[in-house]
Coordinates of all heavy atoms in Angstrom, one line a residue:
A146 N 111.0 -200.8 -1.2 CA 111.3 -199.4 -1.6 C 110.9 -199.2 -3.1 O 111.2 -200.1 -3.9 CB 112.7 -199.0 -1.4
A147 N 110.2 -198.1 -3.4 CA 109.9 -197.8 -4.7 C 111.1 -197.4 -5.6 O 112.0 -197.0 -5.1 CB 108.8 -196.7 -4.8
S148 N 111.0 -197.7 -6.9 CA 112.1 -197.3 -7.8 C 111.4 -196.7 -9.1 O 110.5 -197.4 -9.6 CB 112.9 -198.6 -8.1 OG 113.9 -198.2 -9.0
F149 N 111.9 -195.6 -9.4 CA 111.4 -195.0 -10.7 C 112.5 -194.1 -11.3 O 113.4 -193.7 -10.6 CB 110.1 -194.2 -10.4 CG 110.3 -193.0 -9.5 CD1 110.5 -191.7 -10.1 CD2 110.2 -193.1 -8.2 CE1 110.7 -190.6 -9.3 CE2 110.4 -192.0 -7.4 CZ 110.6 -190.8 -7.9
E150 N 112.2 -193.7 -12.5 CA 113.1 -192.8 -13.2 C 112.4 -191.5 -13.4 O 111.1 -191.6 -13.7 CB 113.6 -193.4 -14.6 CG 114.4 -194.7 -14.4 CD 114.7 -195.2 -15.8 OE1 114.0 -195.0 -16.8 OE2 115.7 -196.1 -15.9
G151 N 113.0 -190.4 -13.4 CA 112.3 -189.2 -13.5 C 113.2 -188.0 -13.9 O 114.4 -188.1 -13.6
C152 N 112.7 -187.0 -14.4 CA 113.4 -185.7 -14.6 C 112.5 -184.6 -14.7 O 111.3 -184.7 -14.9 CB 114.3 -185.9 -15.9 SG 113.4 -185.9 -17.4
I153 N 113.1 -183.4 -14.6 CA 112.3 -182.1 -14.9 C 113.0 -181.4 -15.9 O 114.3 -181.2 -15.9 CB 112.3 -181.3 -13.6 CG1 111.5 -182.0 -12.5 CG2 111.6 -180.0 -13.8 CD1 111.5 -181.3 -11.1
V154 N 112.3 -181.0 -16.9 CA 112.8 -180.2 -18.1 C 112.2 -178.8 -18.0 O 111.0 -178.6 -18.0 CB 112.4 -180.8 -19.4 CG1 113.0 -180.0 -20.6 CG2 113.0 -182.2 -19.5
E155 N 113.1 -177.8 -17.9 CA 112.6 -176.4 -17.8 C 112.7 -175.9 -19.2 O 113.7 -176.1 -19.9 CB 113.4 -175.6 -16.8 CG 113.2 -176.0 -15.4 CD 113.9 -175.1 -14.4 OE1 114.6 -174.1 -14.8 OE2 113.7 -175.4 -13.2
Y156 N 111.7 -175.1 -19.6 CA 111.7 -174.6 -21.0 C 111.1 -173.2 -21.0 O 110.4 -172.7 -20.2 CB 111.0 -175.5 -21.9 CG 109.5 -175.5 -21.7 CD1 108.6 -174.6 -22.3 CD2 108.9 -176.5 -20.9 CE1 107.2 -174.6 -22.0 CE2 107.6 -176.6 -20.6 CZ 106.7 -175.7 -21.2 OH 105.4 -175.6 -20.9
K157 N 111.5 -172.4 -22.1 CA 110.9 -171.1 -22.5 C 110.7 -171.1 -23.9 O 111.6 -171.4 -24.7 CB 111.8 -170.0 -22.0 CG 111.3 -168.6 -22.4 CD 112.2 -167.5 -22.0 CE 111.6 -166.1 -22.3 NZ 112.5 -165.0 -22.0
I158 N 109.5 -170.8 -24.4 CA 109.2 -170.8 -25.8 C 108.7 -169.4 -26.1 O 107.8 -168.8 -25.4 CB 108.0 -171.8 -26.1 CG1 108.5 -173.2 -25.8 CG2 107.6 -171.7 -27.5 CD1 107.3 -174.2 -25.8
K159 N 109.3 -168.8 -27.1 CA 108.9 -167.4 -27.6 C 108.6 -167.5 -29.0 O 109.4 -167.9 -29.8 CB 109.9 -166.4 -27.3 CG 109.5 -165.0 -27.7 CD 110.6 -164.0 -27.3 CE 110.1 -162.6 -27.7 NZ 111.1 -161.6 -27.4
E160 N 107.4 -167.1 -29.4 CA 106.9 -167.1 -30.8 C 107.5 -165.8 -31.4 O 107.2 -164.7 -31.0 CB 105.4 -167.2 -30.9 CG 104.9 -167.4 -32.3 CD 103.4 -167.4 -32.4 OE1 102.8 -166.5 -32.0 OE2 102.9 -168.5 -32.8
A161 N 108.2 -166.0 -32.5 CA 108.9 -164.8 -33.1 C 107.9 -163.8 -33.7 O 108.1 -162.6 -33.5 CB 109.8 -165.3 -34.2
A162 N 106.8 -164.3 -34.3 CA 105.9 -163.4 -35.0 C 105.1 -162.5 -34.1 O 104.8 -161.3 -34.4 CB 105.0 -164.1 -35.9
T163 N 104.6 -163.1 -32.9 CA 103.8 -162.4 -32.0 C 104.3 -162.0 -30.7 O 103.7 -161.4 -29.9 CB 102.5 -163.2 -31.8 OG1 102.9 -164.4 -31.1 CG2 101.8 -163.6 -33.1
N164 N 105.6 -162.6 -30.4 CA 106.2 -162.4 -29.1 C 105.4 -163.0 -27.9 O 105.7 -162.6 -26.8 CB 106.5 -160.9 -28.8 CG 107.6 -160.4 -29.7 OD1 108.5 -161.1 -30.0 ND2 107.5 -159.1 -30.1
R165 N 104.5 -164.0 -28.2 CA 103.9 -164.7 -27.1 C 104.9 -165.6 -26.5 O 105.8 -166.1 -27.1 CB 102.7 -165.5 -27.7 CG 101.6 -164.7 -28.3 CD 100.5 -165.6 -28.8 NE 100.9 -166.3 -30.0 CZ 100.1 -167.1 -30.7 NH1 98.9 -167.2 -30.4 NH2 100.6 -167.8 -31.8
V166 N 104.8 -165.7 -25.1 CA 105.8 -166.4 -24.4 C 105.2 -167.5 -23.5 O 104.1 -167.2 -22.9 CB 106.6 -165.5 -23.5 CG1 107.6 -166.2 -22.6 CG2 107.3 -164.5 -24.3
R167 N 105.8 -168.7 -23.4 CA 105.4 -169.7 -22.5 C 106.6 -170.2 -21.8 O 107.6 -170.5 -22.4 CB 104.8 -170.9 -23.3 CG 104.3 -172.0 -22.4 CD 103.6 -173.0 -23.3 NE 103.3 -174.2 -22.6 CZ 102.4 -175.1 -23.1 NH1 101.8 -174.9 -24.3 NH2 102.1 -176.2 -22.5
I168 N 106.5 -170.2 -20.4 CA 107.6 -170.6 -19.5 C 107.0 -171.8 -18.7 O 106.0 -171.6 -18.2 CB 108.2 -169.5 -18.7 CG1 108.7 -168.4 -19.6 CG2 109.2 -170.0 -17.7 CD1 109.1 -167.1 -18.8
G169 N 107.8 -172.9 -18.6 CA 107.2 -174.0 -17.8 C 108.2 -175.1 -17.5 O 109.4 -174.9 -17.8
Q170 N 107.7 -176.1 -16.9 CA 108.4 -177.3 -16.6 C 107.6 -178.5 -17.0 O 106.5 -178.6 -16.8 CB 108.7 -177.3 -15.1 CG 109.6 -176.4 -14.5 CD 109.8 -176.6 -13.0 OE1 109.0 -177.2 -12.3 NE2 110.9 -176.1 -12.5
L171 N 108.4 -179.5 -17.5 CA 107.8 -180.8 -17.8 C 108.3 -181.8 -16.7 O 109.5 -181.9 -16.5 CB 108.3 -181.3 -19.2 CG 107.9 -180.4 -20.4 CD1 108.5 -181.0 -21.6 CD2 106.4 -180.3 -20.5
H172 N 107.4 -182.4 -16.0 CA 107.8 -183.4 -15.0 C 107.5 -184.8 -15.6 O 106.3 -185.1 -16.0 CB 106.9 -183.2 -13.8 CG 107.1 -181.9 -13.1 ND1 107.5 -181.7 -11.8 CD2 106.9 -180.6 -13.6 CE1 107.6 -180.4 -11.5 NE2 107.2 -179.8 -12.6
L173 N 108.6 -185.6 -15.7 CA 108.4 -186.9 -16.3 C 108.8 -188.0 -15.2 O 109.6 -187.8 -14.4 CB 109.5 -187.1 -17.4 CG 109.2 -186.3 -18.7 CD1 110.1 -185.2 -18.7 CD2 109.3 -187.2 -19.8
A174 N 108.0 -189.1 -15.3 CA 108.3 -190.2 -14.4 C 108.0 -191.5 -15.1 O 107.1 -191.6 -16.0 CB 107.4 -190.1 -13.1
N175 N 108.8 -192.6 -14.8 CA 108.7 -193.8 -15.4 C 109.0 -194.9 -14.4 O 110.2 -194.9 -13.8 CB 109.6 -194.0 -16.6 CG 109.5 -195.3 -17.3 OD1 108.7 -196.2 -17.0 ND2 110.3 -195.5 -18.4
N176 N 108.1 -195.8 -14.1 CA 108.4 -196.8 -13.1 C 108.6 -198.2 -13.8 O 108.3 -199.2 -13.2 CB 107.3 -196.9 -12.0 CG 105.9 -197.4 -12.6 OD1 105.8 -197.6 -13.8 ND2 104.9 -197.4 -11.8
A177 N 108.9 -198.2 -15.0 CA 109.1 -199.5 -15.8 C 107.8 -200.1 -16.3 O 107.8 -201.0 -17.1 CB 110.0 -200.5 -15.1
T178 N 106.7 -199.5 -15.8 CA 105.4 -200.0 -16.3 C 104.6 -198.8 -17.0 O 104.0 -199.0 -18.0 CB 104.5 -200.5 -15.2 OG1 105.3 -201.6 -14.6 CG2 103.2 -201.1 -15.7
N179 N 104.6 -197.7 -16.3 CA 103.9 -196.5 -16.7 C 104.8 -195.3 -16.9 O 105.7 -195.1 -16.1 CB 102.8 -196.1 -15.8 CG 101.8 -197.3 -15.6 OD1 101.2 -197.7 -16.6 ND2 101.6 -197.7 -14.4
T180 N 104.6 -194.5 -17.9 CA 105.4 -193.3 -18.2 C 104.3 -192.2 -18.1 O 103.3 -192.2 -18.7 CB 106.0 -193.3 -19.5 OG1 106.9 -194.4 -19.5 CG2 106.9 -192.0 -19.7
S181 N 104.6 -191.1 -17.3 CA 103.7 -190.0 -17.3 C 104.4 -188.7 -17.5 O 105.6 -188.6 -17.3 CB 103.1 -189.9 -15.9 OG 104.0 -189.6 -14.9
L182 N 103.7 -187.7 -17.9 CA 104.2 -186.3 -18.2 C 103.2 -185.3 -17.7 O 102.0 -185.4 -17.9 CB 104.4 -186.1 -19.7 CG 104.7 -184.7 -20.2 CD1 106.1 -184.4 -19.9 CD2 104.4 -184.6 -21.7
T183 N 103.7 -184.4 -16.9 CA 102.9 -183.3 -16.5 C 103.5 -181.9 -16.9 O 104.8 -181.8 -16.7 CB 102.8 -183.3 -14.9 OG1 102.2 -184.5 -14.5 CG2 101.8 -182.1 -14.4
D184 N 102.8 -181.1 -17.5 CA 103.3 -179.8 -18.0 C 102.7 -178.7 -17.1 O 101.5 -178.4 -17.1 CB 102.9 -179.6 -19.5 CG 103.4 -178.3 -20.1 OD1 104.3 -177.7 -19.5 OD2 102.9 -178.0 -21.2
Q185 N 103.6 -178.0 -16.4 CA 103.2 -176.9 -15.6 C 103.8 -175.6 -16.2 O 105.0 -175.6 -16.4 CB 103.7 -177.0 -14.2 CG 103.1 -178.3 -13.5 CD 103.7 -178.4 -12.0 OE1 104.7 -178.0 -11.7 NE2 102.8 -179.1 -11.2
F186 N 102.9 -174.7 -16.5 CA 103.4 -173.5 -17.3 C 102.6 -172.2 -17.1 O 101.4 -172.4 -16.6 CB 103.4 -173.8 -18.8 CG 102.1 -174.1 -19.4 CD1 101.3 -173.1 -19.9 CD2 101.6 -175.4 -19.4 CE1 100.0 -173.4 -20.5 CE2 100.3 -175.7 -19.9 CZ 99.5 -174.7 -20.5
N187 N 103.1 -171.1 -17.5 CA 102.4 -169.9 -17.6 C 102.7 -169.3 -19.0 O 103.8 -169.5 -19.5 CB 103.0 -168.8 -16.5 CG 102.7 -169.2 -15.1 OD1 101.6 -169.5 -14.8 ND2 103.7 -169.3 -14.3
E188 N 101.6 -168.7 -19.5 CA 101.8 -168.1 -20.8 C 101.3 -166.7 -20.9 O 100.4 -166.3 -20.2 CB 100.8 -168.8 -21.9 CG 101.3 -170.3 -22.1 CD 100.4 -171.0 -23.1 OE1 99.2 -171.0 -22.9 OE2 100.9 -171.4 -24.2
T189 N 101.9 -165.8 -21.7 CA 101.3 -164.5 -21.9 C 100.1 -164.6 -22.9 O 99.3 -163.8 -22.9 CB 102.3 -163.5 -22.6 OG1 102.9 -164.1 -23.8 CG2 103.5 -163.4 -21.6
A190 N 100.1 -165.6 -23.8 CA 99.0 -166.0 -24.7 C 99.3 -167.3 -25.2 O 100.4 -167.8 -25.2 CB 98.9 -165.0 -25.8
D191 N 98.3 -168.0 -25.8 CA 98.5 -169.4 -26.3 C 99.6 -169.4 -27.4 O 99.5 -168.7 -28.4 CB 97.2 -169.9 -26.8 CG 97.3 -171.4 -27.3 OD1 98.3 -172.1 -26.9 OD2 96.4 -171.8 -28.0
V192 N 100.7 -170.2 -27.2 CA 101.7 -170.4 -28.1 C 101.5 -171.6 -29.0 O 102.2 -171.8 -30.0 CB 103.1 -170.4 -27.5 CG1 103.4 -169.2 -26.8 CG2 103.3 -171.7 -26.6
G193 N 100.4 -172.4 -28.8 CA 100.1 -173.5 -29.7 C 100.9 -174.7 -29.6 O 101.2 -175.4 -30.6
I194 N 101.5 -175.0 -28.4 CA 102.4 -176.1 -28.3 C 101.7 -177.2 -27.4 O 101.1 -176.8 -26.3 CB 103.7 -175.7 -27.6 CG1 104.4 -174.8 -28.5 CG2 104.6 -177.0 -27.3 CD1 105.1 -175.3 -29.7
S195 N 101.8 -178.5 -27.7 CA 101.3 -179.5 -26.8 C 102.4 -180.6 -26.7 O 103.1 -180.9 -27.7 CB 100.0 -180.1 -27.3 OG 100.2 -180.7 -28.6
F196 N 102.5 -181.1 -25.6 CA 103.6 -182.1 -25.3 C 102.9 -183.5 -25.0 O 101.9 -183.6 -24.5 CB 104.4 -181.8 -24.1 CG 105.3 -180.5 -24.2 CD1 104.8 -179.3 -23.8 CD2 106.5 -180.6 -24.8 CE1 105.6 -178.2 -24.0 CE2 107.4 -179.4 -25.0 CZ 106.8 -178.2 -24.5
S197 N 103.7 -184.6 -25.4 CA 103.3 -185.9 -25.0 C 104.6 -186.7 -24.8 O 105.7 -186.2 -25.1 CB 102.5 -186.6 -26.1 OG 103.2 -186.7 -27.3
V198 N 104.5 -187.9 -24.2 CA 105.7 -188.6 -23.9 C 105.4 -190.1 -24.3 O 104.3 -190.6 -24.2 CB 106.0 -188.6 -22.4 CG1 105.0 -189.2 -21.5 CG2 107.4 -189.2 -22.1
V199 N 106.5 -190.7 -24.9 CA 106.5 -192.1 -25.2 C 107.8 -192.8 -24.8 O 108.8 -192.1 -24.6 CB 106.3 -192.3 -26.7 CG1 105.0 -191.8 -27.2 CG2 107.5 -191.7 -27.5
E200 N 107.7 -194.1 -24.6 CA 108.9 -194.8 -24.3 C 109.3 -195.5 -25.6 O 108.5 -196.2 -26.3 CB 108.7 -195.8 -23.2 CG 110.0 -196.6 -22.8 CD 109.7 -197.4 -21.6 OE1 108.8 -197.1 -20.8 OE2 110.6 -198.3 -21.3
N201 N 110.6 -195.4 -26.0 CA 111.1 -195.9 -27.3 C 112.4 -196.7 -27.0 O 113.4 -196.1 -26.7 CB 111.3 -194.8 -28.3 CG 111.7 -195.3 -29.6 OD1 111.8 -196.6 -29.9 ND2 112.0 -194.5 -30.6
A202 N 112.3 -198.0 -27.0 CA 113.4 -198.9 -26.8 C 114.1 -198.6 -25.5 O 115.3 -198.5 -25.4 CB 114.4 -198.8 -28.0
G203 N 113.4 -198.3 -24.4 CA 113.9 -198.0 -23.1 C 114.2 -196.6 -22.9 O 114.6 -196.1 -21.8
D204 N 114.1 -195.7 -23.9 CA 114.4 -194.3 -23.7 C 113.1 -193.5 -23.6 O 112.1 -193.9 -24.3 CB 115.1 -193.7 -25.0 CG 116.5 -194.2 -25.1 OD1 117.1 -194.6 -24.1 OD2 117.0 -194.3 -26.3
I205 N 113.0 -192.5 -22.8 CA 111.8 -191.7 -22.7 C 112.0 -190.5 -23.7 O 113.1 -189.9 -23.7 CB 111.7 -191.1 -21.3 CG1 111.4 -192.2 -20.3 CG2 110.6 -190.0 -21.2 CD1 111.3 -191.7 -18.9
E206 N 111.0 -190.4 -24.5 CA 111.1 -189.3 -25.6 C 109.9 -188.3 -25.3 O 108.7 -188.8 -25.1 CB 111.0 -189.9 -27.0 CG 112.2 -190.7 -27.3 CD 112.1 -191.2 -28.8 OE1 111.1 -191.1 -29.4 OE2 113.1 -191.8 -29.2
I207 N 110.2 -187.1 -25.3 CA 109.2 -186.0 -25.2 C 108.9 -185.6 -26.6 O 109.8 -185.2 -27.4 CB 109.7 -184.8 -24.4 CG1 110.2 -185.2 -23.0 CG2 108.6 -183.8 -24.3 CD1 111.0 -184.2 -22.3
Q208 N 107.6 -185.7 -27.0 CA 107.2 -185.2 -28.3 C 106.4 -183.9 -28.2 O 105.6 -183.8 -27.2 CB 106.5 -186.3 -29.1 CG 107.3 -187.5 -29.3 CD 106.4 -188.6 -30.0 OE1 105.3 -188.7 -29.9 NE2 107.2 -189.5 -30.6
F209 N 106.6 -183.0 -29.1 CA 105.8 -181.8 -29.0 C 105.3 -181.4 -30.4 O 105.9 -181.7 -31.4 CB 106.5 -180.6 -28.4 CG 107.7 -180.1 -29.1 CD1 107.7 -179.1 -30.0 CD2 109.0 -180.8 -28.9 CE1 108.8 -178.6 -30.7 CE2 110.1 -180.3 -29.6 CZ 110.0 -179.2 -30.4
T210 N 104.1 -180.9 -30.5 CA 103.4 -180.5 -31.7 C 103.1 -179.0 -31.6 O 102.6 -178.5 -30.6 CB 102.1 -181.3 -32.0 OG1 102.5 -182.6 -32.0 CG2 101.5 -180.9 -33.3
S211 N 103.3 -178.3 -32.6 CA 103.0 -176.8 -32.7 C 101.8 -176.7 -33.7 O 101.8 -177.2 -34.8 CB 104.1 -176.0 -33.3 OG 103.7 -174.7 -33.6
T212 N 100.7 -176.0 -33.2 CA 99.5 -175.8 -34.0 C 99.8 -174.8 -35.1 O 99.2 -174.8 -36.1 CB 98.4 -175.3 -33.2 OG1 98.7 -174.1 -32.4 CG2 97.9 -176.4 -32.2
D213 N 100.9 -174.0 -34.9 CA 101.2 -173.0 -35.9 C 101.8 -173.7 -37.2 O 101.5 -173.3 -38.3 CB 102.2 -172.0 -35.4 CG 101.6 -171.1 -34.3 OD1 100.3 -170.9 -34.3 OD2 102.3 -170.6 -33.4
S214 N 102.7 -174.7 -37.0 CA 103.3 -175.3 -38.1 C 102.7 -176.7 -38.4 O 102.9 -177.2 -39.5 CB 104.8 -175.5 -37.9 OG 105.0 -176.3 -36.8
G215 N 102.1 -177.3 -37.4 CA 101.5 -178.6 -37.6 C 102.6 -179.7 -37.6 O 102.2 -180.9 -37.9
N216 N 103.8 -179.4 -37.3 CA 104.9 -180.4 -37.4 C 105.2 -181.0 -36.0 O 105.4 -180.2 -35.1 CB 106.1 -179.8 -38.0 CG 105.9 -179.4 -39.4 OD1 105.2 -180.1 -40.2 ND2 106.5 -178.3 -39.8
A217 N 105.3 -182.3 -35.8 CA 105.7 -182.9 -34.6 C 107.2 -183.0 -34.5 O 107.8 -183.2 -35.5 CB 105.0 -184.2 -34.4
R218 N 107.8 -182.7 -33.3 CA 109.2 -182.9 -33.1 C 109.4 -183.8 -32.0 O 108.5 -183.9 -31.1 CB 109.8 -181.5 -32.9 CG 109.6 -180.6 -34.0 CD 110.6 -180.9 -35.2 NE 110.5 -179.9 -36.2 CZ 109.9 -180.0 -37.4 NH1 109.3 -181.2 -37.7 NH2 109.9 -179.1 -38.3
T219 N 110.6 -184.3 -31.8 CA 110.9 -185.2 -30.6 C 112.2 -184.7 -30.0 O 113.2 -184.3 -30.6 CB 111.2 -186.6 -31.1 OG1 109.9 -187.1 -31.7 CG2 111.5 -187.5 -29.9
M220 N 112.1 -184.6 -28.6 CA 113.3 -184.3 -27.8 C 113.6 -185.6 -27.0 O 112.7 -186.3 -26.6 CB 113.0 -183.2 -26.8 CG 112.7 -181.9 -27.4 SD 112.5 -180.6 -26.1 CE 111.0 -181.1 -25.2
R221 N 114.8 -186.0 -26.8 CA 115.2 -187.1 -26.0 C 115.7 -186.6 -24.7 O 116.4 -185.6 -24.6 CB 116.2 -188.0 -26.7 CG 115.6 -188.7 -27.9 CD 116.5 -189.8 -28.4 NE 115.7 -190.6 -29.3 CZ 115.7 -190.3 -30.6 NH1 116.4 -189.3 -31.1 NH2 115.1 -191.1 -31.5
C222 N 115.4 -187.3 -23.6 CA 115.7 -186.9 -22.3 C 116.4 -188.0 -21.5 O 115.8 -189.1 -21.4 CB 114.5 -186.4 -21.6 SG 114.8 -185.8 -19.9
L223 N 117.6 -187.8 -21.0 CA 118.3 -188.8 -20.2 C 117.8 -188.6 -18.8 O 117.8 -187.5 -18.2 CB 119.8 -188.5 -20.2 CG 120.6 -189.4 -19.3 CD1 120.5 -190.9 -19.7 CD2 122.1 -188.9 -19.4
V224 N 117.3 -189.7 -18.2 CA 116.8 -189.7 -16.9 C 117.7 -190.5 -15.9 O 118.3 -191.4 -16.3 CB 115.3 -190.2 -16.8 CG1 114.5 -189.3 -17.6 CG2 115.3 -191.6 -17.2
K225 N 117.7 -190.1 -14.7 CA 118.4 -190.8 -13.7 C 117.5 -191.6 -12.8 O 116.5 -191.1 -12.4 CB 119.3 -189.8 -12.8 CG 120.3 -189.1 -13.6 CD 121.1 -188.2 -12.7 CE 122.2 -187.5 -13.5 NZ 123.1 -186.6 -12.7
R226 N 118.0 -192.8 -12.3 CA 117.2 -193.6 -11.4 C 117.2 -193.0 -10.0 O 118.3 -192.7 -9.5 CB 117.6 -195.0 -11.4 CG 116.8 -196.0 -10.6 CD 117.2 -197.4 -10.8 NE 117.0 -197.8 -12.2 CZ 115.9 -198.2 -12.7 NH1 114.7 -198.2 -12.0 NH2 115.8 -198.6 -14.0
I227 N 116.1 -192.9 -9.4 CA 115.9 -192.4 -8.0 C 115.3 -193.5 -7.2 O 114.3 -194.1 -7.5 CB 115.0 -191.2 -8.0 CG1 115.6 -190.1 -8.9 CG2 114.8 -190.7 -6.6 CD1 114.6 -188.9 -9.1
R228 N 115.9 -193.8 -6.1 CA 115.4 -194.9 -5.2 C 114.9 -194.2 -3.9 O 115.6 -193.4 -3.3 CB 116.5 -195.8 -4.9 CG 117.0 -196.6 -6.1 CD 117.9 -197.7 -5.8 NE 118.4 -198.4 -7.0 CZ 117.8 -199.3 -7.7 NH1 116.6 -199.7 -7.4 NH2 118.4 -199.8 -8.8
A229 N 113.7 -194.6 -3.5 CA 113.1 -194.1 -2.3 C 113.6 -194.9 -1.1 O 114.0 -196.0 -1.2 CB 111.6 -194.2 -2.4

């Protein structure tokens, strides 16, 4: 049986200056060898956000960068093990 860790993060981003909106879900999976991130979203216009994922000391971290500010930020996500 396969074993992996995963989670779904739902988000809404609204840019204050222009009222551009992005609503989406980040789908994360980790099978102890590979970590993947898929971003499914809808936007009223480009809000300038990009996401990436890294594994740091056994924790999955979602990193995001805003093209408006150029600053990278990190969110940490607790995931639960799912067994098939």
Side-chain angles (χ1 to χ4, degrees):
S148 179
F149 65 93
E150 298 175 338
C152 69
I153 296 174
V154 177
E155 295 186 357
Y156 66 87
K157 179 179 180 180
I158 299 169
K159 182 176 181 182
E160 187 181 63
T163 64
N164 288 325
R165 296 181 292 185
V166 176
R167 179 172 173 166
I168 298 172
Q170 290 184 337
L171 300 175
H172 298 239
L173 291 106
N175 180 359
N176 68 0
T178 303
N179 299 304
T180 302
S181 66
L182 171 75
T183 304
D184 184 13
Q185 297 179 332
F186 62 91
N187 291 308
E188 293 181 302
T189 58
D191 184 15
V192 298
I194 297 287
S195 61
F196 293 96
S197 61
V198 65
V199 296
E200 189 171 337
N201 183 3
D204 294 330
I205 294 176
E206 295 182 352
I207 304 165
Q208 298 178 335
F209 63 96
T210 302
S211 169
T212 57
D213 291 334
S214 65
N216 295 321
R218 300 285 186 255
T219 300
M220 299 184 293
R221 289 195 173 88
C222 182
L223 175 64
V224 298
K225 294 183 178 182
R226 185 169 298 276
I227 301 169
R228 296 193 186 272

